[in-house]
Amino acid sequence: MVEAIDPWDDLERTHLDTARQWIAAGAPLYRVRKPDVPAMHLVSYFVVLDDTRGQLLLVAHRKAGLWLPAGGHVEPDEDSWAAVVRECREELGIEATASSITGELPLFLTVMKTRGPGTHTDVSLWYLLQADSGTITSYDRGEFDAIRWLTDEQVLREPDESLDPHMHRFTHKLRHARAR
């Protein structure tokens, strides 16, 4: 999965190198005990795109206190795409439909230390899904305070401190991919 990602910028290139080294070292990839064992583990994010309306879905994540893509930790021996399918059903109540832009491959990768208690490092694969905004009528209220559909421009106008720290970079990469 990591090799399929074409880096957007130097930071993503660095994150990809970090992920490759982590994998090559034979470190455990999956979280086995919440919140931080092992201290570095795999996450699958998914950004839902309503291509007709040109909007992305973000969720107000309770623990992070930020607007993020939906997603979650990859379970032991679970494929990262299977995690997207599972998390999409659990968090948004819909079936995951891969975007024609990326298929079932991630578009973006980040390596980031989490905030709050149980600080650890998430290696996050960012997938792109396709859905009509009208099909998402519920969400996991235990995990999210709210959901919002935003255009690329609206995402880019959001203050950095209210979003996942890499959301603006992802949005630029997505705009580039959609323009191809």
Side-chain angles (χ1 to χ4, degrees):
M1 291 295 168
V2 172
E3 293 305 321
I5 300 170
D6 185 27
W8 170 247
D9 56 16
D10 287 340
L11 183 54
E12 188 174 17
R13 192 170 287 105
T14 299
H15 287 188
L16 285 163
D17 288 343
T18 299
R20 284 186 200 100
Q21 290 169 14
W22 171 61
I23 293 165
L29 303 181
Y30 308 103
R31 182 177 73 178
V32 294
R33 192 172 71 239
K34 291 182 180 183
D36 58 356
V37 177
M40 188 171 190
H41 48 262
L42 194 58
V43 169
S44 285
Y45 264 170
F46 53 93
V47 177
V48 181
L49 170 65
D50 180 331
D51 211 18
T52 304
R53 295 178 63 195
Q55 294 180 320
L56 305 174
L57 178 71
L58 295 180
V59 298
H61 195 274
R62 288 181 187 271
K63 286 183 184 175
L66 299 170
W67 287 95
L68 312 168
H73 292 87
V74 181
E75 298 295 330
D77 299 320
E78 182 180 42
D79 174 84
S80 57
W81 173 253
V84 169
V85 171
R86 176 180 50 77
E87 292 283 350
C88 191
R89 193 175 307 115
E90 290 173 5
E91 295 181 350
L92 301 178
I94 64 169
E95 294 301 314
T97 302
S99 167
S100 61
I101 296 169
T102 58
E104 295 179 4
L105 295 174
L107 177 65
F108 195 60
L109 181 136
T110 58
V111 177
M112 189 174 79
K113 194 170 248 350
T114 62
R115 303 177 350 172
T119 299
H120 58 276
T121 300
D122 284 343
V123 177
S124 301
L125 295 165
W126 294 50
Y127 289 86
L128 186 63
L129 302 182
Q130 178 62 46
D132 181 298
S133 59
T135 63
I136 299 177
T137 58
S138 66
Y139 56 91
D140 182 346
R141 295 184 187 278
E143 194 161 346
F144 311 134
D145 287 322
I147 62 173
R148 288 170 58 195
W149 288 93
L150 301 167
T151 64
D152 296 352
E153 292 78 19
Q154 289 171 318
V155 170
L156 294 172
R157 282 196 303 263
E158 284 289 312
D160 286 336
E161 59 273 5
S162 69
L163 301 171
D164 177 285
H166 303 286
M167 193 67 214
H168 286 161
R169 293 177 45 251
F170 172 85
T171 303
H172 284 296
K173 186 174 185 179
L174 175 59
R175 287 175 111 178
H176 178 74
R178 289 171 72 195
R180 288 193 223 168

